[in-house]
Amino acid sequence: MKATGIVRRIDELGRVVIPKEIRRTMKIREGDPLEIFTDHGGELILKKYSPAKEITDFAEKLAVSVSESAGLPVIVTDRDTVIAVSGTAQKEYLNTAVSDKLEKIMEARIPVLLKDKSVVPVNDRDTGGYYAQAAAPILAGGDICGCVIVLSKDKTEFGDAELMLAKAAAAITGTQIA
């Protein structure tokens, strides 16, 4: 564990404020759920909760099925991290943070088909050479839980079929979370 030197007091209602700099670093937004753990040493641990991580096995199988059907690489993310990869090198993407551009696509809550050779990297260190071309946010109970992304290596312009595939995969994943 990393010491921050920040001390906060609990108020009369049992609340404690998580400092802004820690929230920013950990990408904790207003309304995000946190899990609370204790360890044997008496330490209290707060962890950002991701409902999508609960279904990682399902997401992996879904990514493989969609990738094999389309003949294209597919990635499934939670709100912050890539949780499943198929059709490309996993080490380039798996467990990496999603790019800011991809995060904005999720926050818009609208499936997008990127045209005109738009480039949206999957993560900030995208060295795999693939780009998000069709992306559909995963919604469960009205909350954004992640995204299904169909990738392109050569920036080929996708059509409605790829977008529909991403939308269907995102909808199916959302039903597994809810």
Side-chain angles (χ1 to χ4, degrees):
M1 221 175 342
K2 183 178 175 183
T4 63
I6 300 170
V7 176
R8 293 288 192 255
R9 296 202 183 277
I10 296 177
D11 71 9
E12 64 277 357
L13 296 175
R15 297 175 298 197
V16 63
V17 174
I18 300 170
K20 186 176 188 176
E21 49 276 2
I22 291 176
R23 291 192 317 263
R24 187 180 308 125
T25 302
M26 302 302 294
K27 291 188 174 183
I28 297 172
R29 301 177 251 329
E30 182 180 336
D32 280 353
L34 299 175
E35 287 183 279
I36 302 170
F37 299 95
T38 58
D39 69 3
H40 297 297
E43 291 183 355
L44 185 66
I45 301 164
L46 295 176
K47 181 180 175 191
K48 190 171 177 182
Y49 174 72
S50 169
K53 283 196 177 161
E54 302 272 326
I55 62 157
T56 300
D57 290 339
F58 176 81
E60 289 170 356
K61 291 174 185 167
L62 179 89
V64 169
S65 295
V66 173
S67 177
E68 288 176 357
S69 296
L72 295 163
V74 174
I75 286 179
V76 180
T77 73
D78 65 9
R79 283 193 66 173
D80 303 309
T81 312
V82 174
I83 62 170
V85 178
S86 182
T88 184
Q90 289 191 359
K91 67 180 180 177
E92 299 293 336
Y93 298 104
L94 197 59
N95 299 319
T96 61
V98 298
S99 70
D100 291 339
K101 287 182 179 181
L102 195 53
E103 198 172 317
K104 286 179 180 150
I105 288 172
M106 283 188 265
E107 289 172 3
R109 298 172 180 256
I110 300 169
V112 295
L113 182 61
L114 300 163
K115 296 198 177 233
D116 303 322
K117 310 284 188 210
S118 298
V119 174
V120 174
V122 174
N123 55 31
D124 291 329
R125 63 168 202 183
D126 204 335
T127 58
Y130 287 94
Y131 303 96
Q133 289 288 150
I138 299 168
L139 302 173
D143 294 329
I144 302 165
C145 297
C147 195
V148 175
I149 305 142
V150 181
L151 304 174
S152 169
K153 189 164 187 91
D154 56 8
K155 300 182 200 168
T156 303
E157 289 192 21
F158 286 180
D160 290 336
E162 290 84 6
L163 181 61
M164 291 303 289
L165 194 58
K167 285 169 62 174
I172 291 167
T173 305
T175 63
Q176 294 296 309
I177 294 171

